[in-house]
């Protein structure tokens, strides 16, 4: 289980490897206010939606041969749980913590790559954590680019994306296929 956590949070980070939330992380890296609340809500919504989606898929869709409908079922479950949690957050704190694309894609990835409920929970949790752990790193890169006073021809966002590309190349240069032991079993 530890190898799965390390694999999905760091080595096969959903942001860097799959591209889930890459553009969103570059936008929100400029201001980190409110990110903790969004991260907590995303972790709760994504994990509960992924586990419930997996259980529905295994108990209803697979026995009837309708497993190709799992993205639709995942989206319906996620939307219902997300709207419920968003309404609770808005009533209590008067803030919006809505996030759709990163959460839904993390649910689809975790349900698709899992073989048990525990693995669904771990993979979905790791997907969301990978995104929210990458945002402070991008924030540091963005502040460093700003303080370096780049040439006026370059946008700060372009230099941040170039930095992301360098990080991705560094991660892809090292073979980590031995961490994912699920394919070997």
């Amino acid at each position: 289980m530890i190898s799965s956590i390390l694999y999905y949070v760091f080595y096969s980070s959903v942001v860097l490897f799959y591209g889930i939330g890459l553009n969103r992380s570059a936008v929100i890296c400029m201001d980190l206010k409110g990110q903790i609340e969004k991260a907590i809500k995303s972790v709760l919504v994504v994990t509960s939606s992924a586990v419930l989606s997996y259980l529905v898929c295994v108990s209803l869709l697979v026995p009837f041969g309708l497993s190709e409908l799992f993205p639709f079922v995942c989206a319906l479950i996620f939307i219902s749980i997300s709207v419920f949690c968003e309404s609770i957050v808005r009533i209590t704190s008067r803030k919006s913590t809505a996030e759709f694309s990163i959460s839904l894609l993390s649910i689809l990835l975790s349900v698709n790559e899992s073989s048990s409920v525990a693995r669904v929970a771990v993979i979905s949790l790791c997907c969301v954590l990978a995104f929210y752990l990458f945002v402070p790193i991008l924030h540091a890169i963005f502040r460093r680019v700003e303080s370096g006073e780049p040439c006026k021809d370059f946008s700060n966002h372009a230099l941040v994306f170039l930095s992301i590309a360098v990080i991705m190349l560094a991660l892809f240069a090292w073979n980590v296929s031995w961490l994912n032991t699920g394919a070997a079993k």
Side-chain angles (χ1 to χ4, degrees):
M1 202 57 80
I2 299 258
S3 63
S4 294
I5 293 171
L6 290 174
Y7 185 77
Y8 283 102
V9 172
F10 297 111
Y11 305 117
S12 180
S13 170
V14 295
V15 179
L16 297 176
F17 190 76
Y18 294 104
I20 296 175
L22 188 62
N23 58 349
R24 183 83 176 119
S25 63
V27 170
I28 66 173
C29 75
M30 292 180 276
D31 187 23
L32 296 179
K33 289 193 319 192
Q35 293 305 312
I36 293 174
E37 293 91 5
K38 287 183 181 180
I40 291 170
K41 184 213 173 220
S42 292
V43 164
L44 293 174
V45 169
V46 168
T47 305
S48 60
S49 298
V51 168
L52 189 59
S53 297
Y54 179 79
L55 292 174
V56 167
C57 289
V58 168
S59 63
L60 292 177
L61 296 181
V62 172
F64 293 114
L66 299 172
S67 60
E68 61 272 355
L69 292 176
F70 92 91
F72 180 69
V73 170
C74 291
L76 287 177
I77 291 172
F78 166 68
I79 289 170
S80 61
I81 292 175
S82 180
V83 166
F84 176 72
C85 290
E86 180 68 21
S87 63
I88 290 174
V89 169
R90 280 187 188 233
I91 289 170
T92 58
S93 69
R94 309 258 190 252
K95 292 181 182 178
S96 174
T97 59
E99 179 58 52
F100 185 75
S101 62
I102 297 159
S103 302
L104 181 61
L105 293 174
S106 298
I107 291 168
L108 292 175
L109 177 74
S110 63
V111 170
N112 191 37
E113 292 193 5
S114 303
S115 59
S116 69
V117 175
R119 285 190 61 87
V120 168
V122 167
I123 291 173
S124 63
L125 177 71
C126 290
C127 289
V128 174
L129 286 179
F131 174 76
Y132 284 104
L133 288 175
F134 187 65
V135 170
I137 294 169
L138 272 185
H139 181 72
I141 292 171
F142 186 77
R143 293 294 172 220
R144 177 66 181 122
V145 167
E146 274 185 341
S147 68
E149 298 175 1
C151 179
K152 297 297 178 196
D153 295 335
F154 274 89
S155 164
N156 288 350
H157 293 293
L159 291 174
V160 168
F161 276 113
L162 284 173
S163 301
I164 293 171
V166 169
I167 292 171
M168 290 171 71
L169 286 173
L171 282 176
F172 295 154
W174 184 46
N175 184 10
V176 295
S177 61
W178 55 273
L179 286 174
N180 190 4
T181 58
K185 289 181 182 177

